[in-house]
Amino acid sequence: MNRVSTATLTALLIGGSVLTGGGVPALAGGAAISHPQSDRHDDAPGAQERVVRAWVQLWNGDYALAGRIVSPDVRVRAALLDGGDGSAVRGPAGMVDLIGQIRGAFPDLRFTVEVGPIVDGDHVVVRWVADGTYGGGFPGATAAPGTTVRFTGTDILRVRHGLITDYWLNADTLLLTTQLGVKAG
């Protein structure tokens, strides 16, 4: 059973991550992350929708997609319970770390798009639903492992040249923590 610290889960569930270090990011196993050419102009109609499909697949555990759709300079913005702002996520590796840590408590978590994508220039908005099974290790949870969970959220992405450069997250953590029986403390 994966156990994740209170601070890590608190940050992850509302859009933050653990600082993954500086330098050039790499995926698990040391695989290099390749990025599309910066002079490629992939902002044609449909490009944002393709990125959103890959984004959902990434959140569903296809970590190899991070290097193809997440900018090395991605900026994550979220209001964290610990007062952080999500800026600790660095590049594709940081995004993989964020996703991997939340999936540690919910290993079969499955994201689907409920509304969208709504495209406005280089911005894309999706409302998502996450369904899964609690695997244990969530700080303060009184729910038994095996408890099913369902919660929602909204992602706003800025997509430039086929890469996500900015990510704003709003997730219904109250709904999730209620299902897990977390008591306010």
Side-chain angles (χ1 to χ4, degrees):
M1 173 185 329
N2 278 335
R3 299 211 60 81
V4 181
S5 74
T6 302
T8 298
L9 274 174
T10 299
L12 290 174
L13 288 174
I14 47 181
S17 182
V18 177
L19 184 61
T20 60
V24 178
L27 296 176
I33 297 174
S34 63
H35 297 285
Q37 296 295 321
S38 60
D39 61 350
R40 187 183 94 200
H41 189 72
D42 193 12
D43 297 332
Q48 289 91 341
E49 289 89 346
R50 286 188 296 277
V51 170
V52 167
R53 281 193 301 274
W55 177 248
V56 173
Q57 290 174 309
L58 173 62
W59 275 92
N60 284 331
D62 189 351
Y63 300 134
L65 292 170
R68 296 183 201 155
I69 64 167
V70 177
S71 168
D73 301 319
V74 67
R75 289 192 58 199
V76 176
R77 295 176 181 91
L80 306 179
L81 290 176
D82 67 0
D85 62 2
S87 63
V89 175
R90 301 278 191 252
M95 196 63 68
V96 166
D97 192 44
L98 183 155
I99 296 166
Q101 288 190 39
I102 189 134
R103 293 185 67 82
F106 308 95
D108 67 349
L109 199 58
R110 183 85 181 144
F111 289 84
T112 55
V113 173
E114 184 179 53
V115 177
I118 301 168
V119 178
D120 182 16
D122 61 0
H123 287 86
V124 183
V125 179
V126 294
R127 176 170 172 81
W128 48 261
V129 175
D131 293 285
T133 307
Y134 175 50
F138 192 96
T142 59
T147 299
T148 58
V149 296
R150 180 180 181 92
F151 61 104
T152 60
T154 302
D155 289 351
I156 303 172
L157 308 170
R158 179 176 289 142
V159 179
R160 293 186 177 153
H161 305 292
L163 295 175
I164 297 167
T165 61
D166 297 271
Y167 171 39
W168 292 266
L169 169 65
N170 289 295
D172 191 344
T173 54
L174 177 59
L175 178 59
L176 177 62
T177 57
T178 300
Q179 292 171 68
L180 294 176
V182 175
K183 306 291 184 212

